[in-house]
Amino acid sequence: MEKAVLITIGDEILSGNTIDTNSNFIASELKNIGIKVSQIFTISDEIETIKNTLATAFELGDLIITTGGLGPTRDDKTKKALAEFFDDEIALDEVTFNHLKGYMERRGRQDILERNREQAFVPTKSVVFQNHYGTAPCMMMEQNGKLCYSLPGVPYEVKPLIKDQIVPYLQEKFNLNYIHSRIVSVVGIPESILADTIENWELALPENIALSYLPVGTRVKLRLTASGDNEELLKQQTEEEIQKLLPFIKDHVIATSEDKIENILAEMLTDRKLTISTAESCTGGGLAKMITSVSGSSRYFLGGIVAYATEKKVKILNVSQETIDQYTVVSEEVAQEMAEGVQKLFDSHISLSTTGVAGPGKGEDGKEVGTVFYTIRINDQEVTSKLYMPHLERVDFMDFVSQKIIQDVVSLLVNS
């Protein structure tokens, strides 16, 4: 089993009202056991469309996984499409119905059991994987040695079905190779120059190790993915290759294990016993959200202030009104005073501040959309920077700025 095809079923995805997070999660989990996703389809909940897509999927891959389109009503088109495609019929599965009954009883919802009874009707040729977090079961069908799984669409139901049932089943049935990945995070060097710099090292990589360049903002993640039948050997092999890589780019590397920048920051702050605080305007709490998304962040994150209104910058963060009058609220000087103010307020080793214009309209002081000044203050040393990104929409702007600032903090700590 080498290739998989994912099919997302539902008009809500096609309309843009719902984001398909399932495909990203499933592809990542399959990658970890050596199965590559070769195609992802998003289709409407129509019988002929589902059947035609299944036919194409079986030509492209060995494993097909569908999500969505499973409902408690008799007009459920996905199950009908599956039955027709596999030349099967739908019937009540007593085991699935008893599981559904127990699920409803545990939640005190026996009153709607009959309304959900249709969820226990499945194609007779299917192998059922019971859903412990919802009413729609997962159904597995087989054709010419290839497998098709049909899952519900709710992400918190999809994740445990994939992690706890489907992935272990695939590993046991097909004796799949181990996959081991490591990330080397690189900053301060353009991707093209980075590629030229490490070309000789890359060309000398063993055949079982693949290298991917993954740009994230102004950072490039180098992902090494090794495959083989000995997990410990793969770990040793990737570590040896990373050690060979480091001399080429040692001044630009900020991490050799963690993936997300907030996790890299967390590791550094914890190791150095440093604390951090935030004073935000245009990022609207984005910095604090990223920092606190890491488990254990209470050890180093002392608190944050979202001082959106100008007067709150003055009142809470002790920004001088004279500074605002002279330089405007979106300025280097205000960013610096915000950082100093929040550092004193929380008595933190490090403080971060942002002031800018996220859009879509200009700032109250006339600054252009996409302008931001941010300050990073470490003890009594500070660095203030300016970004101008008028091409980014509001939410993308806020996310990019937050990512960039945390990346800069990590870079400063690495070089301190």
Side-chain angles (χ1 to χ4, degrees):
M1 177 156 297
E2 296 178 354
K3 293 183 180 179
V5 176
L6 309 184
I7 304 174
T8 302
I9 303 170
D11 293 334
E12 70 279 4
I13 302 290
L14 291 169
S15 67
N17 292 329
T18 302
I19 297 174
D20 174 23
T21 58
N22 288 331
S23 294
N24 177 270
F25 172 78
I26 295 171
S28 178
E29 292 297 310
L30 293 179
K31 177 199 69 180
N32 291 336
I33 58 171
I35 300 175
K36 179 182 179 181
V37 172
S38 61
Q39 193 84 33
I40 299 176
F41 295 97
T42 302
I43 62 174
S44 61
D45 189 4
E46 298 294 337
I47 291 177
E48 289 305 314
T49 302
I50 296 170
K51 288 165 58 179
N52 291 337
T53 308
L54 283 171
T56 302
F58 270 99
E59 292 176 2
L60 295 172
D62 311 299
L63 171 67
I64 292 85
I65 298 179
T66 77
T67 56
L70 300 177
T73 58
R74 287 189 178 272
D75 64 349
D76 177 359
K77 297 174 183 176
T78 299
K79 272 192 282 194
K80 288 181 180 179
L82 288 170
E84 291 184 18
F85 182 82
F86 289 101
D87 192 23
D88 198 1
E89 59 183 20
I90 296 173
L92 177 68
D93 181 70
E94 290 293 343
V95 174
T96 300
F97 180 72
N98 289 332
H99 173 83
L100 178 63
K101 183 179 178 181
Y103 177 86
M104 291 296 189
E105 288 176 350
R106 287 191 298 274
R107 284 155 181 77
R109 302 306 306 272
Q110 299 96 319
D111 56 314
I112 62 171
L113 176 61
E114 284 304 313
R115 269 185 261 169
N116 284 271
R117 185 185 181 86
E118 290 298 321
Q119 297 282 42
F121 282 76
V122 300
T124 61
K125 295 178 182 177
S126 67
V127 175
V128 177
F129 292 73
Q130 301 298 347
N131 182 355
H132 300 292
Y133 299 91
T135 59
C138 167
M139 299 160 289
M140 183 186 77
M141 312 284 282
E142 186 169 352
Q143 183 182 84
N144 299 325
K146 297 183 177 184
L147 299 181
C148 175
Y149 288 90
S150 182
L151 285 76
V154 182
Y156 68 75
E157 297 175 28
V158 169
K159 289 181 178 181
L161 280 168
I162 293 290
K163 288 177 70 75
D164 301 337
Q165 298 192 61
I166 294 175
V167 164
Y169 179 88
L170 293 172
Q171 286 180 303
E172 182 176 350
K173 182 177 177 65
F174 296 101
N175 193 27
L176 299 170
N177 271 337
Y178 290 100
I179 302 293
H180 179 65
S181 294
R182 286 277 300 273
I183 296 286
V184 177
S185 290
V186 182
V187 298
I189 180 171
E191 185 179 354
S192 58
I193 297 176
L194 173 62
D196 289 342
T197 303
I198 65 174
E199 181 179 13
N200 291 336
W201 168 82
E202 183 178 353
L203 292 173
L205 283 172
E207 289 186 2
N208 69 316
I209 297 182
L211 178 69
S212 301
Y213 292 77
L214 308 173
V216 181
T218 58
R219 176 169 57 120
V220 178
K221 296 191 295 184
L222 297 173
R223 184 177 68 202
L224 288 82
T225 304
S227 61
D229 56 11
N230 187 315
E231 188 175 19
E232 288 305 314
L233 182 60
L234 294 179
K235 291 179 180 179
Q236 178 183 336
Q237 195 177 23
T238 51
E239 175 62 27
E240 289 173 355
E241 293 304 324
I242 288 173
Q243 292 305 316
K244 294 177 186 176
L245 167 67
L246 292 180
F248 292 95
I249 52 172
K250 60 181 180 180
D251 294 335
H252 300 284
V253 173
I254 59 174
T256 60
S257 56
E258 287 290 355
D259 183 355
K260 295 182 178 180
I261 195 68
E262 55 268 36
N263 289 339
I264 297 172
L265 176 65
E267 192 175 88
M268 296 185 75
L269 294 178
T270 302
D271 289 347
R272 301 185 186 201
K273 295 181 172 55
L274 298 175
T275 56
I276 192 168
S277 60
T278 58
E280 303 181 63
S281 185
C282 63
T283 46
L287 279 170
K289 181 181 178 181
M290 283 188 67
I291 294 170
T292 57
S293 68
V294 181
S295 177
S297 55
S298 59
R299 293 193 300 269
Y300 49 83
F301 183 71
L302 301 185
I305 300 294
V306 181
Y308 219 66
T310 299
E311 59 267 25
K312 299 305 178 183
K313 294 179 177 67
V314 175
K315 186 174 182 179
I316 300 174
L317 297 173
N318 205 29
V319 175
S320 166
Q321 184 63 53
E322 289 76 14
T323 300
I324 295 173
D325 293 340
Q326 182 175 355
Y327 299 104
T328 76
V329 72
V330 179
S331 63
E332 176 181 353
E333 290 77 12
V334 167
Q336 291 168 348
E337 292 191 15
M338 288 174 66
E340 185 175 1
V342 79
Q343 186 182 42
K344 290 179 179 177
L345 183 64
F346 288 103
D347 193 23
S348 61
H349 299 102
I350 302 170
S351 63
L352 316 175
S353 70
T354 65
T355 178
V357 187
K362 288 185 178 183
E364 60 187 55
D365 58 359
K367 288 291 196 309
E368 293 292 334
V369 173
T371 303
V372 58
F373 290 91
Y374 62 91
T375 293
I376 299 168
R377 189 174 175 87
I378 302 177
N379 295 319
D380 59 351
Q381 302 297 311
E382 64 183 21
V383 176
T384 302
S385 305
K386 177 185 178 181
L387 290 174
Y388 179 56
M389 297 169 295
H391 59 289
L392 294 182
E393 293 186 358
R394 183 179 179 86
V395 174
D396 294 334
F397 169 87
M398 297 165 80
D399 290 343
F400 182 92
V401 171
S402 299
Q403 284 269 353
K404 180 67 166 65
I405 293 171
I406 293 181
Q407 178 184 296
D408 284 2
V409 177
V410 170
S411 297
L412 288 170
L413 290 175
V414 166
N415 295 312
S416 64

